[in-house]
Amino acid sequence: MQVTVFSGAGISAESGVPTFRDVETGLWAHVDPYEISSSHGWQTHPDRVWAWYLWRHHMMRTVDPNDAHRAVAAWEDYAQVHVVTQNVDNLHERAGSSRVHHVHGSLFEFHCDRCRSVYTDEVPDMPEALESVDPPRCRCGGLIRPDVVWFGEPLPDEAWQRSVDAVVNADLVVVVGTSSVVYPAAGLPELAVAHGTPVIEVNPERTPLSDSATLTLRETASSALPGLLQRLPALLG
Ligand code: BV8
Ligand code: ZN
């Protein structure tokens, strides 16, 4: 049996990582996440974008996977599991998931925005949130940026293709912790619905996917996921 999990910021919320839309921590409360996570934002004020990512990178290194990440990793004892995540943290990997596809990149790799060479130096830590930090420069003069996909940027081909394959070949798709509004990633659960694959949504709130999902569990990820596989026969009949 192949289970594909499609995750968003909500699965990391209970680890203490603010979701993409409710970042209310002090300095960043006035920040528009769409603007500061966009290629336009990087072109116009790379120092503020770099500070935002350094803060998030620091925060992601100080938190741990939660019961939801661990449940998804444990499902590998019962099924072939692919994780398609929109998150740029590495909590699925740290929980033990072995097939993780990052459709929006990762905050744990960095490269030059001009020659694209991989940046291997130590990324400075940032224990307190600063508004502006100049990004390091590459030998070619380009600026070092995180390997994340910004608004207005295309998704990485390989991760996208593997994610489409993981969805079309799945016997079950579990969509957890995403507002399902960012495309083309949000089109993946729709692809499963169109394929007639059972889609279970786990989200305390309603989303645009809720009406077309086979089943919606209005629960948090860490309460719904640990027992979910055992509940499948009763849930899906
Ligand atoms: C593209 C990485 C084309 C960075 C992210 C106008 C101009 C330009 C583009 C567009 C445009 N209009 C539309 C677009 C397309 C755009 C888009 O979809 N915009 C939306 C806003 C309308 N998409 C793009 O730009 C994409 N690229 O289209 O390129 C192209 C093609 C060729 C050549 C050039 C260009 C790129 C999109 C990727 C952007 N990067 N992240 C970073 O992380 O900093 S997206 C960002 O939002 C997140 O990464 C995440 O992926 C995404 C969605 O957020 P969620 O994960 O869903 O989190 P959110 O906070 O929204 O929701 C949390 C959910 O969890 C909630 O529902 C909540 O109820 C729930 N929850 C909370 N607690 C819990 C919980 N659930 C369970 N348990 C809990 N405890
Ligand atoms: Zn360079």
Side-chain angles (χ1 to χ4, degrees):
M1 174 180 173
Q2 179 170 328
V3 177
T4 294
V5 176
F6 179 70
S7 66
I11 197 170
S12 298
E14 289 162 275
S15 293
V17 182
T19 67
F20 200 71
R21 277 154 193 76
D22 63 18
V23 173
E24 72 270 346
T25 317
L27 188 62
W28 304 102
H30 67 282
V31 154
D32 169 4
Y34 290 100
E35 199 278 331
I36 206 158
S37 299
S38 69
S39 46
H40 177 262
W42 175 251
Q43 303 307 325
T44 45
H45 42 74
D47 57 308
R48 287 183 46 214
V49 174
W50 181 250
W52 157 253
Y53 280 96
L54 276 191
W55 174 70
R56 288 175 67 197
H57 185 249
H58 166 79
M59 179 182 54
M60 287 172 185
R61 290 193 301 189
T62 56
V63 299
D64 293 313
N66 62 55
D67 288 347
H69 298 104
R70 281 191 286 271
V72 170
W75 291 352
E76 294 192 10
D77 296 340
Y78 310 99
Q80 192 192 39
V81 182
H82 284 258
V83 178
V84 174
T85 188
Q86 300 172 93
N87 299 335
V88 294
D89 63 48
N90 59 355
L91 294 174
H92 279 297
E93 290 89 340
R94 285 174 54 199
S97 286
S98 57
R99 291 180 209 88
V100 183
H101 312 302
H102 285 270
V103 288
H104 289 162
S106 165
L107 194 36
F108 290 84
E109 276 94 43
F110 298 82
H111 66 269
C112 169
D113 72 351
R114 183 184 291 176
C115 69
R116 298 195 62 81
S117 55
V118 174
Y119 181 71
T120 51
D121 291 1
E122 186 60 25
V123 170
D125 196 11
M126 195 154 101
E128 79 282 350
L130 299 177
E131 186 129 357
S132 162
V133 178
D134 286 332
R137 279 211 180 265
C138 170
R139 280 184 300 281
C140 80
L143 294 177
I144 301 304
R145 59 163 285 178
D147 266 16
V148 300
V149 179
W150 280 324
F151 285 102
E153 291 188 325
L155 275 56
D157 286 340
E158 187 179 342
W160 177 253
Q161 199 45 61
R162 285 170 187 244
S163 301
V164 170
D165 294 346
V167 166
V168 297
N169 296 321
D171 300 302
L172 169 70
V173 172
V174 180
V175 179
V176 51
T178 180
S179 54
S180 291
V181 294
V182 175
Y183 284 84
L188 289 170
E190 294 167 0
L191 186 62
V193 169
H195 252 77
T197 308
V199 174
I200 297 179
E201 179 187 46
V202 175
N203 195 322
E205 292 174 17
R206 209 176 149 62
T207 76
L209 180 71
S210 298
D211 287 341
S212 52
T214 314
L215 184 70
T216 287
L217 302 177
R218 284 274 171 271
E219 300 173 45
T220 63
S222 67
S223 68
L225 294 193
L228 185 63
L229 285 200
Q230 288 75 1
R231 287 165 66 188
L232 283 184
L235 288 172
L236 296 177

